[in-house]
Amino acid sequence: MTSMSRARVARRIAAGAAYGGGGLGLAGAAAVGVLLAEVQVARRRVGNGTDNHVPVAAGLYGHGYATAGEPPLRLTILGDSTAAGQGVHRAGQTPGALLASGLAAVAERPVRLRNVAVPGARSDDLDRQVGLVLADPAEPPDICVIMIGANDVTHRMPPTSSVRHLSAAVRRLRTAGAEVVVGTCPDLGTIEPVQQPLRWLARRASRQLAAAQTIGVVEQGGRTVSLGDLLGPEFEANPRELFGPDNYHPSAEGYATAAMAVLPTVCAALGLWPAQEERPDASRREGFLPVARAAAEAASEAGTEVTPAVPTGPRGPWALLKRRRRRRVPEPQPAPVTPSA
């Protein structure tokens, strides 16, 4: 699928989400029934070798910076199993811990991490998760990172419903004063047990959803980062290194790869990234685009950021597309301090 055709599909999905539609299906919906047997085989193979244990990583990171006197930044993670960190055994290997450690190092101040993500969650669980996050109005998060979408594809949730729930979550968090960064649906076409033609359908469906998610998020004032990397080209090339024991969830190295993609956008959203990095670089094909086109391009290239730019333009809202350089995430501290109950 070309970038322009993906942009058209993403625009239709986002419009359906905004105006209450729910009938649009993802790529190849009519063919899914023919592939049910293969889906069942893939489901039986994915998940072997691991359990639902998720390390508890909540707590204070960068406590060495506490002498500066500034209160900790509040970072909250929402979403599904990849946001929770399923597939690794130590708290410091989870994406939340990696992001908290990296943010503390860049900001030179402590970061208090909270994680309300749940393995198996779909976008319709975000309303509940956001309710937990905003339960105490006296302590809203400074920034929220959401990773969601894979289970929406595998459970065939209508994409319009998926985008509608995500957009509503971003709107509530932004209204509460939090910055929001969304890691869009990863490329499910690279899950090792999935064979053709299901692999092709999964890739196309996840990229369509990722593009539609970007439109919905940007329209609510959030930023997105393409997580095609999370189960994308690097996973396809190095499955033994970047997948965990179940061949589905990332390994510790895979989560570090994803964190490196998201951390620069988290820092930029909080005004912590160098000013020269915020200007579009034409040599890296960065610039201002209609939001649907920016969303489609980002879905095709992992690590690409899309940020709100101009609310209106000749073809609707415009966004800034950035291909940020990868930075190595600082080594997390062995364990967070003052873990939550």
Side-chain angles (χ1 to χ4, degrees), residues 78 101 125 260 338 341:
L78 306 88
S101 297
D125 189 51
M260 280 192 286
T338 61

Side-chain angles (χ1 to χ4, degrees), residues 11 219 289-292 309-319:
R11 196 181 299 114
E219 288 180 346
L289 297 169
V291 66
V310 183
T312 58
R315 286 178 283 176
W318 282 57

Side-chain angles (χ1 to χ4, degrees), residues 191-246:
I191 299 175
E192 209 173 34
V194 178
Q195 302 301 316
Q196 297 289 13
L198 183 60
R199 179 187 292 261
W200 178 84
L201 289 173
R203 167 166 289 165
R204 190 177 178 196
S206 51
R207 288 187 176 184
Q208 284 181 4
L209 180 57
Q213 286 176 319
T214 292
I215 295 174
V217 169
V218 168
E219 288 180 346
Q220 300 302 326
R223 302 179 184 223
T224 64
V225 179
S226 168
L227 287 187
D229 243 352
L230 193 58
L231 296 170
E234 294 181 22
F235 286 75
E236 193 169 35
N238 304 291
R240 298 305 175 199
E241 179 182 355
L242 294 177
F243 277 122
D246 60 359

Side-chain angles (χ1 to χ4, degrees), residues 182-185 210 214 224-230 261 297-306 326:
V182 174
T184 55
C185 182
T214 292
T224 64
V225 179
S226 168
L227 287 187
D229 243 352
L230 193 58
E297 290 201 17
S300 301
E301 185 174 341
T304 305
E305 174 190 314
V306 181
R326 295 293 183 84

